[in-house]
Amino acid sequence: MNTELIAAIQQLEKERGIDAEVLYQAIEEALISSYKREFDAKTTDNIRAEVNRETGDMKVYMMREVVEEVEDPNSQISLADAQGISDDFEIGDLLEFELSPQDFGRLAAQTAKNVIVQKLATAERDRIQDEFSTKIGELVTGVVQRRDRNEVIVDIDRAEAVLTRHEQVKTESYHFNQRMKFYVLKVDDRRGRPVVFISRSHPNMVRKLFEQEVPEIKDGVVEIISVAREAGARTKIAVASRDADVDALGACVGQHGLRVQAVMTELNNEKIDIIEWDPVLENFISNALSPAKVVRVDADEENRSARVIVPDAQLSLAIGKEGQNARLAAKLTGWKIDIKSESQYRELFESEFMQVF
């Protein structure tokens, strides 16, 4: 009994999720390939390999045709030799002989190993493609394994995932064995191996976290219209309710702020502004600049730009630190936003009036 083979296949099935039958078939194909390589056979159509699923014993059988004169000893046997086994054999009969895999030699063993490795790689690639192609655009939980130059390697359901530098959050540190959630970007090949590419900085990660925390979003009662994010610092999301009896902001914030706090905790306390979407553009732009108070919005639809007037004391708040609040509001609405204080607007208005005059 080949107990080592049985144990190895069981371990591969458990750890890598590859069906044991696929592995047995790979070994059988490897044995046939080994025979062809070792004995320089022209064909393997007459070769059959068998691995016992219970004992692990490997056997190879060769079918030979009874002929008058042998031209290919790998597929033919002379009538005289056949009748030496039994007088009943005639021309055209088929005989099946059992060969010993141990007789193939070192070269055959290496060939078998290579075929098995290739089969395992193919099965692994197919498994990852099948499993993660349906998870693109979704959240998964992974465990950080190591840093490789500027990338972070993460284990996700027995698959190797890569967090590239561009998809990392600058304010985050990724430590060995750290368990985190990631956004699945795509599945691709790298050096012949299937790799899942993930993100921590993608705006849709915030969207998916809110879908997990807010049942009203998952059920479609509350909709996230748009998301603007500067990962690690601040995010703005615009939400709207499809039910007049449901408050979109209240649903996202949750009782005592528990829902939004859960999202912020997963994002290492990244600040999140929840904005109420409004079908009236001027109102939406005004809301997007929260927490600043807006006096007036003049929209230029042709250039898709808006001039926003705020009280003098609110100017710095509307613009935000290093212009962050204004940038996020522009991303959220999809409009260019020019913010002016009331005094700046008066000066601009007077200047334009005098030029016209």
Side-chain angles (χ1 to χ4, degrees):
M1 178 181 289
N2 195 340
T3 55
E4 291 184 1
L5 177 65
I6 297 293
I9 289 178
Q10 290 175 345
Q11 184 176 0
L12 285 171
E13 182 177 36
K14 181 179 179 181
E15 294 181 356
R16 300 177 67 174
I18 303 175
D19 187 6
E21 184 59 29
V22 172
L23 299 175
Y24 283 119
Q25 290 176 4
I27 295 171
E28 290 170 345
E29 291 175 12
L31 291 172
I32 294 174
S33 177
S34 298
Y35 173 85
K36 184 176 182 180
R37 177 82 174 263
E38 186 75 0
F39 296 101
D40 196 25
K42 297 178 182 179
T43 179
T44 56
D45 292 343
N46 64 323
I47 302 298
R48 178 175 66 88
E50 182 181 287
V51 180
N52 190 297
R53 275 45 170 175
E54 295 180 359
T55 65
D57 292 336
M58 296 181 288
K59 294 183 179 181
V60 177
Y61 299 93
M62 177 170 54
M63 190 74 70
R64 288 180 178 177
E65 182 183 2
V66 178
V67 295
E68 187 68 43
E69 185 176 345
V70 175
E71 295 180 358
D72 181 5
N74 288 317
S75 61
Q76 297 173 337
I77 184 174
S78 68
L79 178 61
D81 289 342
Q83 289 182 340
I85 300 172
S86 173
D87 294 334
D88 296 333
F89 285 117
E90 298 178 354
I91 300 294
D93 286 346
L94 297 175
L95 280 76
E96 188 171 61
F97 298 87
E98 180 183 342
L99 304 176
S100 173
Q102 287 79 4
D103 295 337
F104 292 171
R106 180 185 60 79
L107 188 61
Q110 185 61 43
T111 302
K113 179 181 177 182
N114 291 341
V115 173
I116 292 172
V117 169
Q118 182 61 41
K119 192 71 175 181
L120 288 174
T122 302
E124 181 81 348
R125 183 181 296 109
D126 292 344
R127 182 188 71 82
I128 291 176
Q129 287 285 354
D130 293 344
E131 184 175 344
F132 286 94
S133 60
T134 60
K135 294 182 179 179
I136 294 174
E138 300 294 335
L139 293 182
V140 294
T141 300
V143 179
V144 176
Q145 296 298 303
R146 66 184 186 280
R147 274 194 171 275
D148 188 0
R149 297 182 181 178
N150 294 323
E151 298 179 339
V152 177
I153 309 303
V154 181
D155 178 67
I156 298 177
D157 294 334
R158 304 187 310 276
E160 182 179 275
V162 174
L163 183 67
T164 64
R165 181 175 62 176
H166 181 69
E167 298 300 333
Q168 296 172 24
V169 178
K170 294 180 180 179
T171 57
E172 290 183 341
S173 298
Y174 305 99
H175 305 292
F176 173 69
N177 251 3
Q178 185 178 3
R179 194 174 185 84
M180 310 176 75
K181 289 182 180 178
F182 301 89
Y183 180 78
V184 180
L185 293 174
K186 62 180 180 177
V187 182
D188 207 346
D189 276 358
R190 174 182 282 188
R191 295 186 290 274
R193 296 180 59 194
V195 175
V196 182
F197 287 89
I198 53 179
S199 176
R200 282 282 298 177
S201 62
H202 200 286
N204 280 344
M205 181 166 184
V206 181
R207 183 188 296 268
K208 290 298 178 180
L209 286 171
F210 270 100
E211 286 181 8
Q212 288 185 351
E213 294 295 333
V214 183
E216 290 85 349
I217 294 178
K218 188 175 182 180
D219 295 341
V221 177
V222 173
E223 181 183 0
I224 298 178
I225 305 298
S226 59
V227 179
R229 185 184 185 198
E230 293 190 359
R234 190 175 185 181
T235 291
K236 286 179 180 284
I237 68 167
V239 297
S241 175
R242 297 180 180 273
D243 188 334
D245 296 328
V246 177
D247 175 20
L249 296 184
C252 293
V253 172
Q255 191 174 14
H256 306 301
L258 291 178
R259 290 176 176 176
V260 68
Q261 186 58 51
V263 176
M264 291 171 64
T265 299
E266 176 59 39
L267 298 176
N268 289 313
N269 294 319
E270 182 176 313
K271 184 175 175 58
I272 297 177
D273 297 336
I274 303 175
I275 308 300
E276 185 174 8
W277 179 81
D278 197 299
V280 179
L281 176 65
E282 289 79 3
N283 293 342
F284 182 32
I285 292 176
S286 179
N287 293 344
L289 285 167
S290 176
K293 304 300 179 183
V294 174
V295 174
R296 176 177 171 179
V297 177
D298 296 325
D300 179 358
E301 293 190 8
E302 183 178 350
N303 296 312
R304 203 169 175 80
S305 62
R307 176 185 289 170
V308 177
I309 314 303
V310 299
D312 287 10
Q314 296 276 306
L315 181 61
S316 61
L317 185 62
I319 295 174
K321 185 179 180 181
E322 299 179 350
Q324 185 184 74
N325 196 54
R327 281 197 309 274
L328 287 173
K331 289 180 183 178
L332 191 71
T333 60
W335 281 61
K336 296 178 182 178
I337 298 177
D338 180 26
I339 303 175
K340 302 290 184 184
S341 67
E342 287 182 299
S343 59
Q344 288 174 334
Y345 177 68
R346 280 195 301 270
E347 291 175 4
L348 184 63
F349 177 78
E350 290 172 1
S351 175
E352 291 176 349
F353 177 78
M354 291 303 293
Q355 287 177 3
V356 172
F357 178 76

